[in-house]
Amino acid sequence: MDGPTSTTDGTGARIAGPSPDAVLVRRTLEEIAPVADKVTSYFYALLFVRSPALRDLFPAAMDTQRDRLLKALLTVAERMDDSAFLAEYLGHLGRGHRKYGVEAAHYPAVGEALIGALVRYAERSWDAETEAAWVRAYTTISQIMIDAAAEDEAKAPAWWQAEVVSHDLRTPDIAVLTLRPDAPYPFLAGQYTTLETPWWPRVWRHYSFASAPRPDGLLTLHVKSVPAGWVSQALVHRARPGDVLRLGPPAGSMTVDHATDTGLVCLGGGTGIAPIKALVEDVAEHGDRRRVDVFYGARRGHDLYDMDTLLRLQKTFPWLAVHPVTEAQCPLPEAVREAGPWPERDAYLSGPLGMVREGIDVLRGSGVPTERIRHDFLAELAVVGTGSAEVGGVHGAHPLDVPVEVVAQ
Ligand SMILES: NC(=O)C1=CN([C@@H]2O[C@H](COP(=O)(O)OP(=O)(O)OC[C@H]3O[C@@H](n4cnc5c(N)ncnc54)[C@H](O)[C@@H]3O)[C@@H](O)[C@H]2O)C=CC1
């Protein structure tokens, strides 16, 4: 892509402006924004008519697919001149697409369908120069994704099969599943995975791991069945020991920095307690010098489905304090504010979007510097991908930093 231009401000200092290609790409995206749905439908129609074999990479029902492509494009367009961001974001996307069966040979057809859809709906701004900018942009995007996938192929499988070894229904709509992967699954406490069930082929959802890596290699997930949540309902009400699921690679950076012994303050709302529990186990495994406060929020007392486990951990580890909070008592972020300030802590948040957002505000107001606040916006992905809250929570300062997978979520 062409490099950024620069201008000078009133003091003569140079300010980097967007590159000419970024200006042209953004102009196209602005023009199509009001008809984004039509562009997306036309893109997929072109893709599947011209390359019918690619249809098999996508789920049967395309409604879960809707906004993904456009959201990824907007993210890239917004940061087009930031090569470090592009390498990280698109590298993650390229690796993540291996599990869908995406190959290097598929990329040109996608690029042609994309440009075909843009030509049709960006009539006002489209010209030869714009087309050349889009071709350069797409070539760069696809090459980063292809290279990242090829590099990953040399060291990790595209997916893992995982057998359900236990299924524990904790409430009428929450199950704790234990899985045995068919090969060692390398992850860190606080990370999440993508998962596909045999009942909804090519429909993938995100779930955080509820335990730190264990010597026996087993994995644990907490799943809440949500209305219209195909995958979550199948996992809670249908999955049984012996069923085999597929897992994508681990992702997420809500992990503990073991180079320091700073204390932790953790907020887990609902099934958002899952990765928080994994973090507590991780701290325990790395020594016990750190103070850890866990605020566990639920709507009602009986929704605190993992309280027994947390109390057991609290009894074992004197450095751990667990604070259950129900809505009748007070909102979870409020309880954290009242117990603060937290100036010397690292903070971790996991749960519904609203809780995470409010929690961040409270933590900032209670003295925690922004760079010490970690969270993964899984709830954000659920909203984008399905219109339902079907995830078990992705990390980043901004939701757009989360790689939104273009194919089959
Ligand atoms: N790594 C992550 O970020 C993870 C996120 N999650 C997300 O957590 C959510 C769990 O859902 P449920 O169990 O149904 O939780 P829930 O809806 O029962 O709420 C749990 C807690 O969050 C509080 N809360 C909810 N909305 C709030 C708001 N707008 N402002 C302040 N507090 C709020 C509730 O008062 C309660 O204390 C899902 O959206 C899931 O995607 C789940 C696992 C991991």
Side-chain angles (χ1 to χ4, degrees):
M1 294 182 215
D2 286 1
T5 55
S6 68
T7 52
T8 51
D9 67 11
T11 66
R14 292 173 83 80
I15 306 168
S19 64
D21 278 5
V23 171
L24 294 170
V25 163
R26 285 177 200 162
R27 202 172 62 186
T28 313
L29 290 172
E30 272 161 33
E31 185 178 343
I32 62 160
V35 287
D37 271 0
K38 287 186 183 161
V39 181
T40 310
S41 303
Y42 191 63
F43 160 76
Y44 286 117
L46 279 183
L47 183 66
F48 298 152
V49 165
R50 292 178 183 170
S51 313
L54 293 191
R55 182 67 186 87
D56 288 344
L57 300 180
F58 292 83
M62 288 291 289
D63 50 337
T64 59
Q65 187 63 32
R66 282 291 134 202
D67 296 337
R68 298 217 157 261
L69 174 78
L70 205 71
K71 179 136 189 183
L73 276 178
L74 287 172
T75 303
V76 171
E78 207 173 283
R79 308 278 289 269
M80 220 169 109
D81 298 325
D82 182 346
S83 49
F85 169 80
L86 290 187
E88 193 185 333
Y89 178 88
L90 295 169
H92 181 96
L93 269 188
R95 289 186 293 275
H97 277 63
R98 289 183 58 216
K99 63 181 177 289
Y100 307 134
V102 172
E103 292 167 14
H106 296 146
Y107 282 85
V110 171
E112 281 164 25
L114 175 65
I115 290 188
L118 297 176
V119 172
R120 172 155 177 183
Y121 286 97
E123 272 173 309
R124 263 184 295 117
S125 57
W126 200 263
D127 56 19
E129 223 188 333
T130 307
E131 179 155 335
W134 271 97
V135 169
R136 279 192 292 271
Y138 184 76
T139 306
T140 304
I141 291 169
S142 51
Q143 200 57 53
I144 297 174
M145 291 179 68
I146 290 167
D147 291 348
E151 198 185 311
D152 195 52
E153 203 173 331
K155 41 185 198 218
W159 67 79
W160 286 253
Q161 290 200 318
E163 182 185 344
V164 178
V165 291
S166 79
H167 183 282
D168 178 14
L169 197 61
R170 294 277 180 91
T171 74
D173 56 6
I174 298 179
V176 174
L177 279 80
T178 309
L179 311 176
R180 183 186 294 118
D182 61 349
Y185 187 92
F187 75 102
L188 299 172
Q191 288 193 305
Y192 60 89
T193 186
T194 41
L195 178 157
E196 181 205 46
T197 65
W199 306 288
W200 295 102
R202 299 184 294 282
V203 179
W204 295 77
R205 294 288 183 263
H206 298 82
Y207 292 96
S208 291
F209 293 110
S211 297
R214 300 165 32 155
D216 60 11
L218 296 183
L219 309 169
T220 320
L221 307 174
H222 294 178
V223 185
K224 179 168 180 176
S225 143
V226 295
W230 305 337
V231 173
S232 67
Q233 289 188 4
L235 288 171
V236 172
H237 300 299
R238 187 165 179 177
R240 291 292 166 263
D243 288 334
V244 178
L245 315 172
R246 277 207 300 166
L247 304 182
S253 48
M254 201 178 81
T255 53
V256 176
D257 176 3
H258 293 292
T260 83
D261 59 3
T262 312
L264 275 62
V265 53
C266 305
L267 282 69
T271 50
I273 196 64
I276 302 292
K277 184 186 149 258
L279 293 179
V280 169
E281 292 177 357
D282 193 36
V283 170
E285 271 163 34
H286 283 80
D288 58 4
R289 289 165 300 144
R290 309 173 82 152
R291 173 94 194 145
V292 180
D293 282 84
V294 171
F295 290 84
Y296 179 16
R299 306 245 174 222
R300 291 150 305 189
H302 64 260
D303 294 326
L304 291 164
Y305 67 92
D306 211 26
M307 197 57 208
D308 288 352
T309 316
L310 289 165
L311 288 176
R312 198 160 20 85
L313 289 170
Q314 180 175 249
K315 223 169 156 184
T316 314
F317 304 120
W319 42 265
L320 173 65
V322 179
H323 314 272
V325 186
T326 59
E327 274 185 352
Q329 292 169 299
C330 81
L332 181 62
E334 198 45 49
V336 176
R337 188 200 317 270
E338 279 171 18
W342 307 96
E344 302 301 326
R345 301 287 182 106
D346 289 340
Y348 294 82
L349 305 99
S350 162
L353 205 52
M355 185 222 92
V356 173
R357 289 200 170 126
E358 270 186 41
I360 292 172
D361 287 346
V362 163
L363 288 164
R364 284 193 186 128
S366 302
V368 185
T370 305
E371 65 276 11
R372 285 198 179 185
I373 303 177
R374 306 177 81 90
H375 56 91
D376 276 337
F377 267 123
L378 292 204
E380 169 79 3
L381 275 188
V383 173
V384 172
T386 65
S388 78
E390 187 178 46
V391 277
V394 177
H395 175 88
H398 188 282
L400 285 187
D401 288 345
V402 175
V404 173
E405 300 187 12
V406 182
V407 178
Q409 292 265 356

